[in-house]
Amino acid sequence: MRYMGCGTYRCMRQRCRRRSGRITAQGHTGCDRVAGEICRDARGTRWLDETRQDLRFAVRALRATPVVTIVVILSLALGIGASTAIFSLVNGLLLRNLPVPDADRLVTLSVGNTRQLFTYATFDELRRHDDLFDGALAWAESALTIGDEAEPAYVQWVSGDFFDALGVRAFAGRSLTPADDVAGGGPEGPVAVISHGLWQRRFGGASDAIGRSLLVEGVAVTVVGVAPPGFHGVLVGSAFDLLLPVRINDLIRPTTPRTFHAPWLRILLRLRPGQSLDAATAALRAAQPQVRTRSHPPGPLGAAFLSEPFVVENAARGVSDLRRRYAAPLVLLLVVVSLVLLVACTNVANILLGRGAARRHALSLQVALGASRWRLVRRFLIESALLALLGAVLGILFAGWASRAMVAQLPSGEVPIVLDLDVDLRVLAYTASVAVAAAIVAGLAPALWATTVHPLDALQAGGRSGSAGGRVHGFGALQVAQVAVSVLLLVAAGLFGRTLQQLTHAPLGFDDDRLLVATVRTPTTSPADQSEVRHRLARAVASIPGVVAAGGSDQAPLYTTYSAFPSACPASHLFRPPRPRRTWCRSPLGGSRRTASRCGRDAPSRTGTGPAPNR
């Protein structure tokens, strides 16, 4: 019976009165309550009332023991927050799509099994075959300086089709067009689209920034647009400051020109609606001989040029070199923090079991008064779910800070790592699932223990909870599980710490004591004069009071990336190995450079600065 009318309700109330034999006001109220319960049973809404009552009971129980409640919530918040923080990194680097329309239709183009760089001639020939796909774009990245003060800036060189192929509109002004992507600049000369962050930092978000001139490597470039906020291009893990047309590279960097046939670009394509990867690959391979013939570079490259077949791969999540480096460590960290969350849940289960044992007398009275065992189980589960919900809210706040702190600690070279770590539906779904799992794991043992409560426990030993009947048998198993997982994590952490200690004390082959490494660029100096300029710079640095020796090389020791703008850091900040035997050698740029050479001989100095001082 889904619905009960007023006539049926009155009939049941009269029958209730006749059975009770009470026609007083009290009797009327009692009969009304009984009839109301029958109506709720018929409508199927009784469980809502009981759930509401159990929720109020859980709130009162948590408020009765505030210290225990705070400890439990903080334990769950740390476990859920750590797990959510790692998943936010996984989501931002491995799972999140680019913030562009129809990102699933973007693909990267490569040759064979390698990610080959392409020439602009190849890209220009490919985009002529516009019947094969909906759009094409080429891009590359580098670090330059902007302004009179030579502020470091990260630049992406993009083709004129960049914004159209991605389906992105400028936040202010206009985007780049194919007319801008010509040698020497388009009708307005060399132009650029700046990032939303640079617009805020350098121009204060002023609307008149459009049309202003900005010095890039000493060359005046006109700002024609501002990229939308949150858009960082197709390279995941870095954020550009400027978007410059590819063909004005020779104007901006005349000392390192990129010819029409120089391989330095990566290519992305946008497939047509409904076009599969296999169909796109077959179409591109059919056109490959023509593309190869028309974009063939002059010189001896010949047979090796585009000899391998074209390969397309899905690029909905963008292109990132960080995935290869951090995908496996992030998954491993996610497993580790999941184990930490499991330890937190078992700890919470132990606390809830202890609280349940202290309330065993009250629970047995409820069973004696007619409460079902399922009602007790539900009450414990609601209590643990409420704790998990509060822990999840605090965990999300903690995860937002922790994930950004971890990204800031990653080694990034001259370009900082930038990931989109905003909370989206995927992160919320993960946090919700983790919270539900935590509620089940933390509340299952107390809930199952509640089914062992017997009505006679209220009468035994005066209702004392410490009687034999009140013993909680689940404590032992939970404590064993908690200790086992904790030992596993401690052993893994100890091995990791030992490995890290060995790496930080490994011999590096040179003495890093009081060593300062600085990277200097000379973009406006011609290649013929760069050697002399660098030697003069080394001699000038060596003459500074307090400098014992100065020298230089094309690549600094242990630098994994080429630094493209001035930077400096003490090497001892990275490593501190045992001090090896010191010798002196000559730097290729002159001056004396102290190293840890264990064999061989000193390199002769081109500038002849004399013997090294005795120490």
Side-chain angles (χ1 to χ4, degrees):
M1 182 168 57
R2 299 290 301 274
Y3 174 76
M4 181 177 295
C6 295
T8 306
Y9 176 82
R10 287 195 297 269
C11 179
M12 294 184 64
R13 187 174 61 178
Q14 291 174 2
R15 291 178 60 189
C16 175
R17 291 176 184 174
R18 286 196 299 269
R19 288 184 180 181
S20 62
R22 291 194 281 176
I23 312 297
T24 62
Q26 273 187 329
H28 282 273
T29 304
C31 291
D32 289 342
R33 289 178 179 174
V34 173
E37 292 178 0
I38 296 176
C39 291
R40 286 193 294 270
D41 290 340
R43 290 194 300 266
T45 59
R46 185 185 184 92
W47 66 274
L48 290 176
D49 295 332
E50 293 180 349
T51 303
R52 188 163 50 248
Q53 294 172 6
D54 293 340
L55 184 60
R56 288 199 298 265
F57 180 85
V59 172
R60 289 197 302 268
L62 295 179
R63 292 177 59 184
T65 55
V67 176
V68 175
T69 301
I70 292 175
V71 171
V72 170
I73 292 177
L74 291 180
S75 298
L76 291 176
L78 289 176
I80 296 175
S83 182
T84 303
I86 299 300
F87 183 79
S88 297
L89 295 179
V90 173
N91 183 48
L93 184 61
L94 305 179
L95 303 178
R96 191 191 295 270
N97 284 351
L98 292 176
V100 300
D102 299 324
D104 293 334
R105 291 165 52 195
L106 294 177
V107 296
T108 58
L109 181 65
S110 58
V111 177
N113 297 324
T114 60
R115 293 183 178 180
Q116 180 176 335
L117 298 178
F118 295 93
T119 65
Y120 193 89
T122 301
F123 168 72
D124 190 50
E125 184 60 34
L126 274 172
R127 65 179 175 180
R128 296 178 188 274
H129 294 76
D130 53 2
D131 57 325
L132 302 181
F133 37 80
D134 267 1
L137 63 95
W139 63 280
E141 71 275 3
S142 65
L144 303 177
T145 58
I146 59 175
D148 296 330
E149 65 281 9
E151 176 188 349
Y154 177 62
V155 174
Q156 286 189 7
W157 305 90
V158 298
S159 61
D161 318 84
F162 184 79
F163 284 92
D164 290 339
L166 292 179
V168 177
R169 295 184 178 180
F171 180 78
R174 68 173 179 88
S175 58
L176 299 178
T177 64
D180 300 318
D181 191 20
V182 295
E188 301 180 44
V191 298
V193 172
I194 61 177
S195 67
H196 190 272
L198 184 65
W199 180 50
Q200 295 291 334
R201 294 193 311 270
R202 194 169 186 87
F203 299 99
S207 58
D208 61 350
I210 307 301
R212 287 191 190 182
S213 180
L214 179 66
L215 290 180
V216 180
E217 296 289 324
V219 179
V221 175
T222 303
V223 177
V224 297
V226 178
F231 177 70
H232 304 306
V234 297
L235 184 62
V236 178
S238 60
F240 64 84
D241 294 308
L242 290 173
L243 292 175
L244 296 175
V246 170
R247 297 299 305 279
I248 70 171
N249 175 76
D250 295 349
L251 178 66
I252 302 297
R253 301 191 300 182
T255 58
T256 56
R258 303 283 186 177
T259 65
F260 195 67
H261 295 283
W264 68 297
L265 300 173
R266 288 191 268 190
I267 297 177
L268 262 72
L269 306 175
R270 178 176 285 276
L271 303 182
R272 293 176 297 177
Q275 187 179 20
S276 64
L277 290 178
D278 294 338
T281 302
L284 286 170
R285 289 180 178 178
Q288 184 171 354
Q290 184 179 5
V291 173
R292 183 176 185 271
T293 300
R294 294 185 177 182
S295 62
H296 196 284
L301 292 180
F305 179 72
L306 297 182
S307 58
E308 298 292 329
F310 281 145
V311 176
V312 295
E313 298 177 354
N314 186 274
R317 295 175 287 114
V319 180
S320 178
D321 296 329
L322 297 177
R323 292 195 182 111
R324 182 178 65 257
R325 296 167 54 188
Y326 295 115
L330 282 178
V331 174
L332 180 60
L333 276 178
L334 190 60
V335 174
V336 171
V337 296
S338 299
L339 293 178
V340 173
L341 178 59
L342 180 61
V343 172
C345 290
T346 54
N347 188 29
V348 172
N350 281 325
I351 294 176
L352 295 181
L353 271 176
R355 292 179 59 184
R359 290 160 27 195
R360 186 178 184 89
H361 176 62
L363 295 175
S364 61
L365 283 178
Q366 294 176 19
V367 174
L369 293 176
S372 64
R373 300 188 184 278
W374 161 243
R375 183 72 179 272
L376 299 181
V377 170
R378 185 174 60 187
R379 181 165 294 176
F380 274 96
L381 290 177
I382 289 177
E383 186 174 340
S384 62
L386 184 59
L387 291 171
L389 177 62
L390 297 175
V393 173
L394 293 179
I396 290 179
L397 299 178
F398 172 75
W401 170 84
S403 58
R404 287 170 173 79
M406 286 186 288
V407 170
Q409 298 300 319
L410 295 177
S412 57
E414 74 276 7
V415 180
I417 295 177
V418 177
L419 292 176
D420 187 1
L421 301 176
D422 293 337
V423 177
D424 58 3
L425 292 179
R426 186 182 289 112
V427 175
L428 288 178
Y430 176 83
T431 305
S433 61
V434 169
V436 171
I440 293 175
V441 173
L444 185 60
L448 294 178
W449 170 83
T451 61
T452 65
V453 176
H454 196 274
L456 295 179
D457 292 342
L459 303 177
Q460 293 178 355
R464 295 194 300 268
S465 61
S467 61
R471 184 177 301 170
V472 181
H473 298 284
F475 270 125
L478 285 177
Q479 289 174 352
V480 169
Q482 186 176 4
V483 171
V485 178
S486 299
V487 169
L488 175 64
L489 293 175
L490 288 175
V491 171
L495 293 175
F496 177 79
R498 181 180 178 183
T499 302
L500 182 62
Q501 183 182 15
Q502 291 177 350
L503 288 176
T504 55
H505 289 79
L508 303 179
F510 64 92
D511 187 5
D512 70 333
D513 187 28
R514 293 172 296 165
L515 177 66
L516 188 70
V517 179
T519 302
V520 181
R521 298 179 63 250
T522 55
T524 59
T525 306
S526 64
D529 298 332
Q530 282 188 3
S531 178
E532 180 61 27
V533 169
R534 292 173 180 174
H535 280 82
R536 289 203 309 266
L537 178 61
R539 291 193 296 268
V541 172
S543 64
I544 298 176
V547 176
V548 176
S553 63
D554 290 335
Q555 187 73 28
L558 296 181
Y559 265 43
T560 57
T561 57
Y562 173 71
S563 183
F565 49 79
S567 61
C569 67
S572 58
H573 179 70
L574 302 177
F575 297 97
R576 182 168 292 279
R579 293 186 178 182
R581 180 174 59 88
R582 298 176 180 175
T583 60
W584 289 86
C585 70
R586 298 301 178 195
S587 166
L589 298 185
S592 297
R593 185 175 62 182
R594 190 174 61 195
T595 66
S597 176
R598 297 186 180 276
C599 60
R601 62 183 182 86
D602 294 344
S605 172
R606 291 178 50 185
T607 55
T609 57
N614 296 325
R615 297 184 62 87

